Amino acid sequence: MLPQENEEGNIEYKRHFCSDELKILNNDNNVRFQQLVTQMKYRLNEGNGMAIYYIGVEDNGSLYKLSKEQSRDSILMIKRMVLYLEGKIESLIVNDDYIKVTIKDKFKYTRLVEKRILLLGDTE
């Protein structure tokens, strides 16, 4: 069980990506596909170019038991969405309870490296 999903932030819970709406049209003009892509853009923006998806998790944080077919179809759909947005999947972890996918926007995500400089000596 995970904490309840927050409407803001870069973490998204999805039961699965196997709805009949997504299976009807297998192209990028599908209305449901476009809604999911827009939601992914939002999560990427909230995370400064990084989003984390938990597939197999309800909005309240409870786990939904995915079948092997649902897992496979959901992974294929999220890969398709990331490809459409020209992003990349940083990590994909599949376990018995859920699938965790970390996505990065290749154009926006920049990890700033902190550098510290120490100055010694006379201040003049």
Side-chain angles (χ1 to χ4, degrees), residues 19-20 33 74 97-98 102 122:
S19 70
D20 291 336
F33 179 79
S74 294
D97 297 325
Y98 57 85
T102 304
D122 197 6

Side-chain angles (χ1 to χ4, degrees), residues 10 24 31 42 46 49-50 58 68 72-73 79 84 90 92 95 107 109 119 121-123:
N10 68 332
I24 292 171
V31 173
Y42 173 77
E46 287 288 301
M50 185 173 81
E58 304 281 352
K68 289 185 188 260
R72 183 196 68 223
D73 291 348
K79 284 181 177 180
Y84 183 83
E90 185 72 17
L92 188 132
N95 64 32
F107 298 112
Y109 183 78
L119 301 174
D122 197 6
T123 57

